[in-house]
PDB file of all heavy atoms in Angstrom:
ATOM      1  N   ALA A  16     -54.487  18.875 112.566  1.00 75.00           N
ATOM      2  CA  ALA A  16     -55.190  20.134 112.299  1.00 75.00           C
ATOM      3  C   ALA A  16     -55.555  20.917 113.555  1.00 75.00           C
ATOM      4  O   ALA A  16     -55.529  22.145 113.559  1.00 75.00           O
ATOM      5  CB  ALA A  16     -56.444  19.868 111.474  1.00 75.00           C
ATOM      6  N   ARG A  54     -59.855  28.717 112.996  1.00 90.00           N
ATOM      7  CA  ARG A  54     -58.475  28.633 112.524  1.00 90.00           C
ATOM      8  C   ARG A  54     -58.304  29.256 111.136  1.00 90.00           C
ATOM      9  O   ARG A  54     -57.168  29.477 110.697  1.00 90.00           O
ATOM     10  CB  ARG A  54     -58.009  27.174 112.473  1.00 90.00           C
ATOM     11  CG  ARG A  54     -58.189  26.443 113.790  1.00 90.00           C
ATOM     12  CD  ARG A  54     -57.151  25.367 113.959  1.00 90.00           C
ATOM     13  NE  ARG A  54     -55.935  25.912 114.569  1.00 90.00           N
ATOM     14  CZ  ARG A  54     -54.872  25.173 114.878  1.00 90.00           C
ATOM     15  NH1 ARG A  54     -54.869  23.890 114.632  1.00 90.00           N
ATOM     16  NH2 ARG A  54     -53.819  25.709 115.432  1.00 90.00           N
ATOM     17  N   MET A  57     -56.166  32.515 110.861  1.00 95.00           N
ATOM     18  CA  MET A  57     -54.749  32.255 111.120  1.00 95.00           C
ATOM     19  C   MET A  57     -54.096  31.530 109.947  1.00 95.00           C
ATOM     20  O   MET A  57     -52.946  31.816 109.590  1.00 95.00           O
ATOM     21  CB  MET A  57     -54.597  31.413 112.398  1.00 95.00           C
ATOM     22  CG  MET A  57     -53.157  31.265 112.851  1.00 95.00           C
ATOM     23  SD  MET A  57     -52.353  32.850 113.220  1.00 95.00           S
ATOM     24  CE  MET A  57     -53.253  33.336 114.696  1.00 95.00           C
ATOM     25  N   LEU A  60     -53.454  34.126 107.280  1.00 97.00           N
ATOM     26  CA  LEU A  60     -52.322  34.987 107.642  1.00 97.00           C
ATOM     27  C   LEU A  60     -50.991  34.258 107.487  1.00 97.00           C
ATOM     28  O   LEU A  60     -50.071  34.745 106.809  1.00 97.00           O
ATOM     29  CB  LEU A  60     -52.488  35.479 109.078  1.00 97.00           C
ATOM     30  CG  LEU A  60     -51.342  36.342 109.635  1.00 97.00           C
ATOM     31  CD1 LEU A  60     -51.208  37.632 108.841  1.00 97.00           C
ATOM     32  CD2 LEU A  60     -51.561  36.630 111.112  1.00 97.00           C
ATOM     33  N   LEU A  71     -39.858  35.184  98.006  1.00 96.00           N
ATOM     34  CA  LEU A  71     -38.683  36.050  98.075  1.00 96.00           C
ATOM     35  C   LEU A  71     -37.400  35.221  97.983  1.00 96.00           C
ATOM     36  O   LEU A  71     -36.431  35.631  97.335  1.00 96.00           O
ATOM     37  CB  LEU A  71     -38.705  36.856  99.370  1.00 96.00           C
ATOM     38  CG  LEU A  71     -37.537  37.827  99.596  1.00 96.00           C
ATOM     39  CD1 LEU A  71     -37.450  38.854  98.475  1.00 96.00           C
ATOM     40  CD2 LEU A  71     -37.687  38.521 100.951  1.00 96.00           C
ATOM     41  N   THR A  83     -26.229  28.040  89.402  1.00 91.00           N
ATOM     42  CA  THR A  83     -25.767  27.016  90.340  1.00 91.00           C
ATOM     43  C   THR A  83     -26.913  26.272  91.040  1.00 91.00           C
ATOM     44  O   THR A  83     -26.801  25.080  91.313  1.00 91.00           O
ATOM     45  CB  THR A  83     -24.862  27.635  91.422  1.00 91.00           C
ATOM     46  OG1 THR A  83     -25.568  28.708  92.070  1.00 91.00           O
ATOM     47  CG2 THR A  83     -23.588  28.174  90.790  1.00 91.00           C
ATOM     48  N   GLU A 103     -38.790  37.488  79.304  1.00 77.00           N
ATOM     49  CA  GLU A 103     -38.879  38.408  78.161  1.00 77.00           C
ATOM     50  C   GLU A 103     -40.106  39.310  78.289  1.00 77.00           C
ATOM     51  O   GLU A 103     -40.039  40.513  78.028  1.00 77.00           O
ATOM     52  CB  GLU A 103     -38.934  37.615  76.854  1.00 77.00           C
ATOM     53  CG  GLU A 103     -37.607  36.981  76.469  1.00 77.00           C
ATOM     54  CD  GLU A 103     -37.723  36.092  75.251  1.00 77.00           C
ATOM     55  OE1 GLU A 103     -38.800  36.118  74.599  1.00 77.00           O
ATOM     56  OE2 GLU A 103     -36.757  35.371  74.949  1.00 77.00           O
ATOM     57  N   GLY A 112     -45.606  42.442  83.793  1.00 87.00           N
ATOM     58  CA  GLY A 112     -44.843  41.565  84.669  1.00 87.00           C
ATOM     59  C   GLY A 112     -45.484  41.416  86.032  1.00 87.00           C
ATOM     60  O   GLY A 112     -45.538  40.322  86.595  1.00 87.00           O
ATOM     61  N   PRO A 123     -52.807  27.826  89.652  1.00 75.00           N
ATOM     62  CA  PRO A 123     -51.903  26.671  89.842  1.00 75.00           C
ATOM     63  C   PRO A 123     -50.574  26.790  89.115  1.00 75.00           C
ATOM     64  O   PRO A 123     -49.723  25.910  89.253  1.00 75.00           O
ATOM     65  CB  PRO A 123     -52.721  25.499  89.270  1.00 75.00           C
ATOM     66  CG  PRO A 123     -54.137  25.951  89.301  1.00 75.00           C
ATOM     67  CD  PRO A 123     -54.089  27.418  89.048  1.00 75.00           C
ATOM     68  N   LYS A 127     -43.065  29.251  92.146  1.00 87.00           N
ATOM     69  CA  LYS A 127     -41.604  29.247  92.232  1.00 87.00           C
ATOM     70  C   LYS A 127     -40.980  29.651  90.898  1.00 87.00           C
ATOM     71  O   LYS A 127     -39.966  30.341  90.862  1.00 87.00           O
ATOM     72  CB  LYS A 127     -41.087  27.879  92.676  1.00 87.00           C
ATOM     73  CG  LYS A 127     -41.434  26.735  91.740  1.00 87.00           C
ATOM     74  CD  LYS A 127     -41.193  25.373  92.350  1.00 87.00           C
ATOM     75  CE  LYS A 127     -42.161  25.043  93.449  1.00 87.00           C
ATOM     76  NZ  LYS A 127     -43.586  25.077  93.062  1.00 87.00           N
ATOM     77  N   PHE A 138     -36.319  42.040  88.581  1.00 93.00           N
ATOM     78  CA  PHE A 138     -37.572  42.787  88.503  1.00 93.00           C
ATOM     79  C   PHE A 138     -37.710  43.658  89.755  1.00 93.00           C
ATOM     80  O   PHE A 138     -37.245  43.290  90.836  1.00 93.00           O
ATOM     81  CB  PHE A 138     -38.738  41.797  88.417  1.00 93.00           C
ATOM     82  CG  PHE A 138     -40.076  42.429  88.158  1.00 93.00           C
ATOM     83  CD1 PHE A 138     -40.447  42.811  86.883  1.00 93.00           C
ATOM     84  CD2 PHE A 138     -40.973  42.649  89.196  1.00 93.00           C
ATOM     85  CE1 PHE A 138     -41.685  43.383  86.637  1.00 93.00           C
ATOM     86  CE2 PHE A 138     -42.199  43.222  88.976  1.00 93.00           C
ATOM     87  CZ  PHE A 138     -42.567  43.596  87.690  1.00 93.00           C
ATOM     88  N   LEU A 142     -42.399  46.096  93.755  1.00 95.00           N
ATOM     89  CA  LEU A 142     -43.542  45.732  92.911  1.00 95.00           C
ATOM     90  C   LEU A 142     -43.764  44.222  92.926  1.00 95.00           C
ATOM     91  O   LEU A 142     -44.899  43.744  92.975  1.00 95.00           O
ATOM     92  CB  LEU A 142     -43.305  46.223  91.479  1.00 95.00           C
ATOM     93  CG  LEU A 142     -44.466  46.068  90.488  1.00 95.00           C
ATOM     94  CD1 LEU A 142     -45.729  46.739  91.007  1.00 95.00           C
ATOM     95  CD2 LEU A 142     -44.066  46.632  89.121  1.00 95.00           C
ATOM     96  N   VAL A 160     -62.973  31.956 102.711  1.00 91.00           N
ATOM     97  CA  VAL A 160     -64.388  32.352 102.617  1.00 91.00           C
ATOM     98  C   VAL A 160     -65.257  31.148 102.240  1.00 91.00           C
ATOM     99  O   VAL A 160     -66.345  30.938 102.808  1.00 91.00           O
ATOM    100  CB  VAL A 160     -64.559  33.485 101.578  1.00 91.00           C
ATOM    101  CG1 VAL A 160     -66.043  33.745 101.294  1.00 91.00           C
ATOM    102  CG2 VAL A 160     -63.887  34.760 102.079  1.00 91.00           C
ATOM    103  N   PHE A 162     -64.694  27.927 102.803  1.00 87.00           N
ATOM    104  CA  PHE A 162     -64.814  26.975 103.905  1.00 87.00           C
ATOM    105  C   PHE A 162     -65.504  27.583 105.126  1.00 87.00           C
ATOM    106  O   PHE A 162     -66.059  26.864 105.948  1.00 87.00           O
ATOM    107  CB  PHE A 162     -63.437  26.428 104.291  1.00 87.00           C
ATOM    108  CG  PHE A 162     -62.785  25.627 103.196  1.00 87.00           C
ATOM    109  CD1 PHE A 162     -61.419  25.698 102.975  1.00 87.00           C
ATOM    110  CD2 PHE A 162     -63.547  24.808 102.376  1.00 87.00           C
ATOM    111  CE1 PHE A 162     -60.823  24.966 101.965  1.00 87.00           C
ATOM    112  CE2 PHE A 162     -62.967  24.068 101.359  1.00 87.00           C
ATOM    113  CZ  PHE A 162     -61.602  24.150 101.150  1.00 87.00           C
ATOM    114  N   GLU A 167     -68.649  22.523 106.636  1.00 76.00           N
ATOM    115  CA  GLU A 167     -69.167  21.221 107.077  1.00 76.00           C
ATOM    116  C   GLU A 167     -69.604  20.333 105.919  1.00 76.00           C
ATOM    117  O   GLU A 167     -69.232  19.157 105.873  1.00 76.00           O
ATOM    118  CB  GLU A 167     -70.312  21.425 108.072  1.00 76.00           C
ATOM    119  CG  GLU A 167     -69.851  21.842 109.454  1.00 76.00           C
ATOM    120  CD  GLU A 167     -68.851  20.876 110.057  1.00 76.00           C
ATOM    121  OE1 GLU A 167     -69.069  19.648 109.964  1.00 76.00           O
ATOM    122  OE2 GLU A 167     -67.830  21.331 110.600  1.00 76.00           O
ATOM    123  N   LEU A 188     -51.412  20.180  90.395  1.00 44.00           N
ATOM    124  CA  LEU A 188     -49.969  20.328  90.235  1.00 44.00           C
ATOM    125  C   LEU A 188     -49.550  20.182  88.781  1.00 44.00           C
ATOM    126  O   LEU A 188     -48.877  21.046  88.218  1.00 44.00           O
ATOM    127  CB  LEU A 188     -49.241  19.293  91.096  1.00 44.00           C
ATOM    128  CG  LEU A 188     -47.716  19.285  90.989  1.00 44.00           C
ATOM    129  CD1 LEU A 188     -47.141  20.600  91.483  1.00 44.00           C
ATOM    130  CD2 LEU A 188     -47.127  18.125  91.772  1.00 44.00           C
ATOM    131  N   ALA A 194     -49.791  24.522  82.216  1.00 47.00           N
ATOM    132  CA  ALA A 194     -50.175  25.901  81.939  1.00 47.00           C
ATOM    133  C   ALA A 194     -48.951  26.802  81.818  1.00 47.00           C
ATOM    134  O   ALA A 194     -48.893  27.712  80.988  1.00 47.00           O
ATOM    135  CB  ALA A 194     -51.119  26.427  83.024  1.00 47.00           C
ATOM    136  N   TYR A 197     -47.515  26.839  78.427  1.00 51.00           N
ATOM    137  CA  TYR A 197     -48.255  27.578  77.404  1.00 51.00           C
ATOM    138  C   TYR A 197     -48.228  29.080  77.628  1.00 51.00           C
ATOM    139  O   TYR A 197     -48.272  29.869  76.680  1.00 51.00           O
ATOM    140  CB  TYR A 197     -49.713  27.119  77.377  1.00 51.00           C
ATOM    141  CG  TYR A 197     -49.906  25.791  76.689  1.00 51.00           C
ATOM    142  CD1 TYR A 197     -50.107  24.632  77.428  1.00 51.00           C
ATOM    143  CD2 TYR A 197     -49.882  25.683  75.302  1.00 51.00           C
ATOM    144  CE1 TYR A 197     -50.273  23.404  76.802  1.00 51.00           C
ATOM    145  CE2 TYR A 197     -50.044  24.467  74.672  1.00 51.00           C
ATOM    146  CZ  TYR A 197     -50.256  23.323  75.424  1.00 51.00           C
ATOM    147  OH  TYR A 197     -50.411  22.125  74.802  1.00 51.00           O
ATOM    148  N   LEU A 199     -46.018  30.983  79.928  1.00 48.00           N
ATOM    149  CA  LEU A 199     -44.781  31.672  80.300  1.00 48.00           C
ATOM    150  C   LEU A 199     -43.742  31.571  79.195  1.00 48.00           C
ATOM    151  O   LEU A 199     -43.683  30.631  78.470  1.00 48.00           O
ATOM    152  CB  LEU A 199     -44.227  31.102  81.605  1.00 48.00           C
ATOM    153  CG  LEU A 199     -45.168  31.194  82.799  1.00 48.00           C
ATOM    154  CD1 LEU A 199     -44.489  30.623  84.027  1.00 48.00           C
ATOM    155  CD2 LEU A 199     -45.598  32.615  83.070  1.00 48.00           C
TER     156      LEU A 199
END
Side-chain angles (χ1 to χ4, degrees):
R54 306 210 87 177
M57 188 60 69
L60 177 63
L71 180 59
T83 55
E103 287 174 10
K127 61 193 70 58
F138 187 80
L142 187 55
V160 170
F162 296 142
E167 284 304 316
L188 178 63
Y197 283 103
L199 301 181

